[in-house]
Amino acid sequence: MRWDAQALLERPTEADASGTTPALLPLAGLVRSVTTPEFAGITFHEVTAKSVLNKVPGGSRMPFEWTINPYRGCSHACVYCFARKSHTYLEFDAGRDFDNQIVVKVNVAEVLRKELAKPSWGHHQVALGTNTDPYQRAEGRYKLMPGIISALAESGTPLSILTKGTLLARDIPLLKEAATQVPVGVGISLAMTDEALSETVEPGTPGPRARLKLISRLREAGLPCGVMAMPIMPWLTDSDEALDALFASLASAGATGVTAGALYLKPGTREWFMQWLAANHPDLTGRYQGLYGNGSYAPKEYRTWLAGRVRYFKERHGFSGSHGFSHRDLEDDPRGEEAQYPAGIIPVGKAATPGGPPDRDTRPGPTGPPEQPTLF
C-alpha cells in the first residue's frame, strides 16, 4: 500500500442495491482512486500512462518543444489558474474538481526512460510545470520528480522546472548533480507578497515568504532561479506599493530574472475567478467585467500602462534585460506572454557548474512610475 490510513474507491463492476450502476471515471489506465485523512477532501486517481512526453503544438510560441505533466489537476487551488479548462477533457469540472480530483501518473519515470531511449529522441529541452505544478503537496508522497529529473539528466536532455511548491527544496542536491550533466533551468511562480491575499487566492500554495526563502536557497546552491510574476491582478496587486514590495523582495532573494504579466481569464478560469471575486471582493466585480468584457485579456491600454510600471520597478530594483513584461510587444494578439520566460528558467549553454551572475544590475531607474490611465 502506498499510503497509510488510506481508503480505496474501487471501480464498481455491477449495479448497486437500487439497480443503478455508478458512473465510471473516464480515465485511461486507472489503477485505483485513493483518499487519505492527510489530504481531506481530495481524491487521487492513480493511473498508468502509456506516454508521458507531450509535444508542444507547432504553432505555439513556447520556447520549448516538449513537456511532462506527472499530475493533472492541482491542490494549490489557485483561483486564477489558466489550466483549469484542461480538467474538463477528463470529464471533471474546471472549478472544485480541478482542485480536489488529482490524476497521478504513477509510472511516469519508467515510461519516460523508455521514451528517452528511443533512437528518434532528439534531446530537446523538456519543461515541467507548464500546466499543473509538479511539486504540489502530493509529490511529497508519490516522489515522482526525482525519477523524472534523473531520467532526463542521464539521457542528456536539458530540463526546466516551474513551480510554486517549496517541496522543490528536497531535490536541490539532485538538481545540482543534473546541472553538471545537462543545462538546467529553475523558475518560481510568485506575483505578490501579501500573505493574506495569497491565502485566499491560492489557498493550497506555500505563502510568499516561503517561496522567497526557496529562491534564496536555490541561488545559494548555485542554481539559477527566474521568477514568473504572474498574474498581476488589477486593483489587487498592481498598485505602486504592491509592485515595489514584490520586486524589492525578489531582488533581495537573488532571483536571476523576472517576467510579469496581467491576469489572463480564459474560459473555465474566468467563471471560477469571478465567483471568487464576487465572494471576496464584490466591489470589484463590475470593474473587472468592464475591464475584461467578454474577452480573456485585459485591454491593450491597461497592458501598456502595466508594462510601464513593471519596467520602472524592475529597473528600480536592479533587474535588467528585455524580459520585464510578458506582453513585450503589446500586440493586438497578446498571446506572446506565453513565450516570455525570464533569465534562469530556460536552460541555456552546456552543462557546467550551476550558477552564474544574476540578470540584475544597479543602474538607476527612471524618475517615477507612469500615471495610471483614468479609464481604470
Side-chain angles (χ1 to χ4, degrees):
M1 304 294 280
R2 185 179 297 276
W3 293 4
D4 295 331
Q6 66 184 341
L8 301 185
L9 308 180
E10 303 291 352
R11 294 173 67 98
T13 56
E14 58 185 27
D16 61 18
S18 67
T20 302
T21 302
L24 299 182
L25 292 172
L27 296 175
L30 179 63
V31 176
R32 63 179 182 174
S33 296
V34 180
T35 63
T36 176
E38 292 180 69
F39 293 82
I42 298 178
T43 301
F44 296 95
H45 305 285
E46 298 179 354
V47 303
T48 54
K50 293 183 178 180
S51 176
V52 297
L53 281 169
N54 309 304
K55 185 74 167 67
V56 176
S60 171
R61 289 176 162 184
M62 293 293 185
F64 42 78
E65 298 181 46
W66 297 88
T67 67
I68 298 173
N69 293 297
Y71 302 93
R72 297 189 67 173
C74 186
S75 61
H76 283 339
C78 303
V79 298
Y80 53 73
C81 183
F82 71 90
R84 286 184 171 276
K85 187 175 177 61
S86 66
H87 226 43
T88 64
Y89 308 152
L90 303 176
E91 297 190 24
F92 290 123
D93 68 52
R96 197 163 304 281
D97 282 355
F98 181 84
D99 302 339
N100 60 25
Q101 301 292 325
I102 311 300
V103 178
V104 186
K105 301 175 185 177
V106 292
N107 65 336
V108 60
E110 175 186 352
V111 175
L112 177 60
R113 287 187 179 277
K114 293 178 180 179
E115 293 182 312
L116 295 174
K118 293 180 180 179
S120 59
W121 175 241
H123 300 88
H124 304 290
Q125 177 203 341
V126 172
L128 295 112
T130 60
N131 193 54
T132 56
D133 202 311
Y135 283 103
Q136 56 184 284
R137 280 184 62 210
E139 172 59 18
R141 288 288 190 170
Y142 284 101
K143 298 180 174 62
L144 302 180
M145 286 298 291
I148 294 171
I149 294 169
S150 296
L152 291 169
E154 292 167 11
S155 72
T157 300
L159 66 125
S160 65
I161 298 170
L162 177 62
T163 182
K164 294 177 182 172
T166 51
L167 185 58
L168 171 67
R170 179 199 66 192
D171 292 341
I172 286 178
L174 185 58
L175 286 168
K176 288 179 65 177
E177 174 62 25
T180 67
Q181 301 170 276
V182 296
V184 171
V186 183
I188 300 299
S189 176
L190 178 59
M192 67 190 79
T193 58
D194 186 325
E195 295 282 338
L197 178 60
S198 174
E199 189 173 346
T200 63
V201 78
E202 42 191 27
T205 304
R209 284 193 296 269
R211 278 176 273 169
L212 287 168
K213 289 179 181 178
L214 176 60
I215 294 169
S216 295
R217 289 189 63 179
L218 287 163
R219 299 298 292 131
E220 289 166 2
L223 290 163
C225 184
V227 172
M228 296 291 280
M230 301 171 70
I232 304 297
M233 297 180 289
W235 300 293
L236 290 171
T237 60
D238 65 351
S239 68
D240 289 348
E241 294 77 14
L243 292 174
D244 190 38
L246 175 63
F247 284 99
S249 297
L250 295 178
S252 179
T256 50
V258 187
T259 292
L263 178 66
Y264 170 44
L265 293 177
K266 66 185 295 185
T269 301
R270 180 190 183 95
E271 296 80 2
W272 193 244
F273 178 85
M274 292 301 290
Q275 179 179 321
W276 171 86
L277 192 70
N280 292 273
H281 300 277
D283 56 311
L284 293 181
T285 54
R287 300 173 80 177
Y288 267 77
Q289 289 166 353
L291 184 63
Y292 282 85
N294 295 320
S296 299
Y297 296 93
K300 185 175 182 179
E301 184 178 3
Y302 177 85
R303 291 186 281 112
T304 301
W305 167 73
L306 184 57
R309 56 194 304 167
V310 165
R311 189 177 304 113
Y312 166 75
F313 286 110
K314 267 197 64 174
E315 294 180 0
R316 180 175 182 175
H317 293 290
F319 290 99
S320 63
S322 60
H323 298 287
F325 186 74
S326 61
H327 303 294
R328 183 172 48 175
D329 50 14
L330 297 173
E331 298 172 341
D332 291 335
D333 178 1
R335 287 175 296 177
E337 75 170 42
E338 299 167 357
Q340 304 305 318
Y341 279 68
I345 295 184
I346 300 302
V348 295
K350 299 178 180 179
T353 301
D359 181 27
R360 297 192 286 119
D361 63 23
T362 56
R363 295 176 298 174
T367 57
E371 295 293 328
Q372 185 176 25
T374 56
L375 175 63
F376 308 110

